[in-house]
Amino acid sequence: MRTPRKNQGGTAPKPPAPQTRGRRAHAGLPAEEHPSGEPLPQPAAPVPAAQGRLTLRPRTVRAKIVSLLMVPVVSLLALWGLATVTTAQDVVRLSRQQRVDDQIRTPVTTAAVQLQAERRAALRCAAAPGADTAAELRRQAGRTDAAVAALSIGGGHTVADAGGMPDEVAGRLAAFVTGAHRLDALRAAVLGRRTDADKAYEQYNAAIATAYGVTGALTGVQGAEDGSGARVRYELSLAGESLSREDALLSAAQLSRSLAGDRLRAFTDAVLTRREQSASAVDLPAASRSAWRSLSSAADYTRLRTVEDKVLAATPGRDAAQAAPASVWDAPSTAVQSGLRAIATDKGSRPNPVVRGVLTPAGAGVLLGLAAVAASLVISVRIGRGLVVELLTLRNSALRIARGKLPHAMERLRSGETIDIQAEAPQGPPARDEIAQVGEALDTVHRAALGAAAERAELAGGISKIFVNLARRSQVLVHRQLALLDSMERRAEDPSELGDLFRLDHLTTRMRRHAESLIILSGAAPGRAWRKPVPLTNVVRAAVSEVEDYARIEVRQLSEAAVTGTTVADLTHLLAELVENAAQFSPPHTKVRVSGEPVGTGYVLEIEDRGLGMGAEALAEANRRI
């Protein structure tokens, strides 16, 4: 059947515009080159990590930046931790030394001082027995026992056993406590006048020497930094002991009114020993050395030496005893004794262990290291966060362009719309750093791609207009030719000529279909259109009439149905292509049958042929293209 050659009014819907492929765009500065003009070598493609192999390479930008910034911070933190541990060890050592001073050294020194006072009282009682000297010895013995009791913790143990001291310290302290407890017999002998002053003097000296043996052992517990000063202070404490011996001997001589023989020799040895031991004060630490200078330059120290010289120069016996009266000797000896004891204990120059540890170079390093670690963390966090934000913003911008803006703009260009390149990719502010330069280059590439696509769309639109113009001309000529053939068919009387005219009319109809297909592919609407619905049978027969082997096409009886006029042209072209495909790819001696029936959602047309058919992939591709 030949379709009517006159339009019934209306226009057919505009088919989708043909797709155009955009050109590759380039934007930004040219690639860097060597001075010789050769381009720089391109970096090798990254080699993917082997599966199952442990890799330390971070995956995300945030993880990479955090790893990069955390390496120096962690290293600095490790160094700070090492300095902190060293300083803490020093603080612990100083605290241990302070506990030793508070729990052992000070009680032992107190007990030694009480023993010295008891020795003086015992010698006085032995030199001048009487109720007063006996009462004095008993009172001082009670003080000594109280001081020694502070060193015991019961069960035969001393404070050194509970403090974790070395065996030497614990042994010497235990020997001192045991010896102090054995002084009861000596006291009874002195009070009962069963021993003389010389024997009492020797036994008290032995007990006091045991106390100073404990102090000497504690000196070895000091660290290397404090060991030298501790030994010098120990020498000064021995000088104080020598002065205490001088005081005990002179006190007894003042009561007995005689200083001669062994007692004078003991006094002379004590004076010479004290002066020799005091000579080591030049090696004291700065603070203690200043205190010694003040003591040695004081008037009391000078008067003490003067009295000692008078006693040593006097004639043994009454003259030697009268050379050092109590009114002249007691005040300077007491003052010098107190000064030596203060320097030996050195409590005023021992600050709090924590304060002392912080004030050392290591402590200052810990504080400065902590400030450096805090500053590094703050700076690293701020710089890292800013860099992560910039890189993530750049990544998101690139993804928006690649996945959203650019494909959407291309789709609009393919559909025939005109886009404003400046509005789609506006020019940003000047780049201030490398990341901003990358973003600027990305925007430049975006604008270049849009410009190239717009130019290509404009070129394709111009070519499409040329094709449409040529197709329209051919369509006009074909319509005139069909009209001429129709009039010739009506006038022809010879059957052979009429058959040739019908074949020529069929060829012209096929030419009209190809011309209209060219117009559709060019993006324009075909010239034929109908205002009213057209029966489906007429549409199918019109499609069959535009096929070369129309004689092989068998159209079955179709149910009553009509097609909207605006879709007749498009449906006719589609059916013609399908029917012609069935006729071309089926044996020439077979028929192609067209049938149809209404279904729940519309109308189904079936075109049946005896060809080999299409594979699943080819069929899916054809459906996708349709």
Side-chain angles (χ1 to χ4, degrees):
M1 171 183 175
R2 189 174 67 195
T3 57
R5 292 185 293 270
K6 294 183 180 181
N7 293 341
Q8 302 297 326
T11 57
K14 180 179 180 180
Q19 297 183 1
T20 58
R21 302 178 64 183
R23 296 179 298 179
R24 178 178 298 177
H26 173 77
L29 298 175
E32 295 182 359
E33 297 181 348
H34 285 297
S36 60
E38 298 179 358
L40 291 172
Q42 298 296 326
V47 180
Q51 294 183 358
R53 182 183 302 173
L54 180 63
T55 176
L56 298 179
R57 183 177 180 180
R59 295 294 183 183
T60 63
V61 172
R62 185 185 303 275
K64 292 178 180 178
I65 294 177
V66 169
S67 301
L68 181 64
L69 295 178
M70 281 298 104
V71 169
V73 173
V74 171
S75 301
L76 183 60
L77 188 60
L79 294 177
W80 174 78
L82 178 61
T84 302
V85 170
T86 303
T87 304
Q89 291 176 347
D90 292 340
V91 171
V92 171
R93 179 179 57 83
L94 294 174
S95 300
R96 182 171 178 268
Q97 292 178 5
Q98 187 177 36
R99 288 195 303 272
V100 169
D101 289 341
D102 294 341
Q103 298 175 5
I104 301 178
R105 187 190 303 275
T106 299
V108 169
T109 302
T110 301
V113 170
Q114 297 301 328
L115 270 177
Q116 290 171 351
E118 184 178 343
R119 176 179 58 189
R120 183 177 184 273
L123 291 182
R124 287 171 60 85
C125 183
D132 294 337
T133 55
E136 180 184 357
L137 177 58
R138 291 189 181 95
R139 287 195 300 269
Q140 187 56 45
R143 298 190 188 99
T144 302
D145 291 340
V148 173
L151 297 173
S152 300
I153 57 176
H157 296 286
T158 64
V159 292
D161 298 327
M165 290 291 101
D167 294 338
E168 181 182 5
V169 175
R172 291 190 179 188
L173 183 58
F176 168 67
V177 172
T178 302
H181 288 160
R182 294 174 181 173
L183 291 176
D184 292 338
L186 178 60
R187 295 166 186 166
V190 172
L191 292 173
R193 301 179 185 181
R194 294 191 301 274
T195 183
D196 58 4
D198 294 334
K199 292 183 179 180
Y201 178 74
E202 293 297 333
Q203 293 187 32
Y204 274 109
N205 288 348
I208 295 173
T210 307
Y212 281 99
V214 176
T215 306
L218 290 175
T219 303
V221 180
Q222 302 288 338
E225 180 182 354
D226 298 332
S228 177
R231 284 189 294 272
V232 176
R233 286 191 290 269
Y234 174 66
E235 291 290 332
L236 288 181
S237 68
L238 293 179
E241 162 61 9
S242 298
L243 181 57
S244 176
R245 291 183 181 184
E246 296 177 34
D247 180 56
L249 293 171
L250 284 179
S251 296
Q254 291 168 1
L255 293 177
S256 63
R257 301 181 185 274
S258 176
L259 181 61
D262 292 338
R263 295 184 187 180
L264 181 58
R265 286 192 295 272
F267 178 82
T268 302
D269 291 341
V271 171
L272 296 178
T273 302
R274 183 191 63 78
R275 292 182 179 182
E276 182 180 357
Q277 291 167 341
S278 299
S280 63
V282 295
D283 296 329
L284 284 169
S288 299
R289 189 167 57 249
S290 177
W292 166 251
R293 290 197 187 105
S294 300
L295 176 64
S296 61
S297 61
D300 291 332
Y301 193 82
T302 303
R303 287 197 298 270
L304 176 68
R305 290 181 63 92
T306 300
V307 174
E308 289 174 343
D309 292 338
K310 288 182 180 180
V311 174
L312 295 177
T315 303
R318 181 180 294 274
D319 292 339
Q322 291 178 349
S327 59
V328 177
W329 171 260
D330 289 347
S333 65
T334 301
V336 173
Q337 183 82 2
S338 299
L340 289 174
R341 191 177 298 122
I343 296 174
T345 55
D346 193 28
K347 288 187 177 181
S349 61
R350 297 177 189 175
N352 184 276
V354 177
V355 176
R356 185 177 178 184
V358 171
L359 293 180
T360 59
V366 170
L367 296 179
L368 294 178
L370 179 60
V373 169
S376 300
L377 285 175
V378 172
I379 295 174
S380 299
V381 168
R382 294 191 63 179
I383 293 178
R385 181 180 297 174
L387 191 58
V388 168
V389 170
E390 291 180 1
L391 291 177
L392 291 181
T393 302
L394 179 62
R395 183 201 66 177
N396 295 336
S397 177
L399 291 178
R400 281 195 300 270
I401 292 175
R403 299 178 181 178
K405 292 183 178 181
L406 191 58
H408 181 66
M410 295 296 184
E411 186 66 26
R412 290 171 57 190
L413 288 174
R414 284 194 294 268
S415 63
E417 296 184 23
T418 302
I419 63 173
D420 185 0
I421 297 178
Q422 187 60 33
E424 291 289 334
Q427 183 74 33
R432 295 177 296 179
D433 53 19
E434 289 81 359
I435 296 179
Q437 290 174 0
V438 174
E440 183 180 15
L442 183 62
D443 292 337
T444 302
V445 172
H446 186 197
R447 287 191 297 273
L450 290 178
E455 293 177 1
R456 185 62 180 267
E458 184 178 358
L459 178 62
I463 296 175
S464 297
K465 290 179 181 179
I466 294 174
F467 287 163
V468 169
N469 188 17
L470 294 175
R472 294 288 187 191
R473 294 180 183 181
S474 299
Q475 188 180 33
V476 171
L477 294 177
V478 169
H479 280 297
R480 292 176 59 185
Q481 185 175 351
L482 285 174
L484 180 60
L485 288 173
D486 187 58
S487 61
M488 291 176 66
E489 289 172 359
R490 290 190 181 94
R491 294 194 305 268
E493 296 181 355
D494 187 356
S496 60
E497 292 181 358
L498 185 59
D500 292 336
L501 289 174
F502 276 126
R503 285 191 293 273
L504 185 59
D505 183 278
H506 180 66
L507 291 175
T508 305
T509 301
R510 293 175 59 200
M511 291 173 58
R512 181 185 66 185
R513 179 167 67 89
H514 294 322
E516 290 181 351
S517 298
L518 182 60
I519 293 174
I520 293 173
L521 293 177
S522 299
R528 295 186 298 163
W530 288 262
R531 290 193 300 269
K532 296 180 180 181
V534 177
L536 180 60
T537 302
N538 295 342
V539 174
V540 173
R541 293 189 180 278
V544 171
S545 66
E546 295 180 354
V547 177
E548 180 178 3
D549 291 339
Y550 64 92
R552 294 173 49 206
I553 310 303
E554 179 181 343
V555 180
R556 300 289 180 88
Q557 183 67 32
L558 302 177
S559 304
E560 292 292 335
V563 180
T564 304
T566 55
T567 61
V568 170
D570 292 338
L571 184 59
T572 301
H573 278 282
L574 177 61
L575 290 175
E577 292 293 338
L578 294 175
V579 171
E580 187 173 33
N581 178 77
Q584 287 180 354
F585 293 96
S586 61
H589 61 278
T590 60
K591 293 287 186 177
V592 176
R593 296 179 176 84
V594 180
S595 60
E597 60 181 352
V599 294
T601 56
Y603 199 95
V604 174
L605 284 175
E606 294 183 356
I607 301 174
E608 181 185 354
D609 62 73
R610 294 295 183 269
L612 297 177
M614 301 172 62
E617 295 182 359
L619 184 60
E621 177 63 18
N623 288 327
R624 188 191 64 81
R625 295 184 63 184
I626 292 176

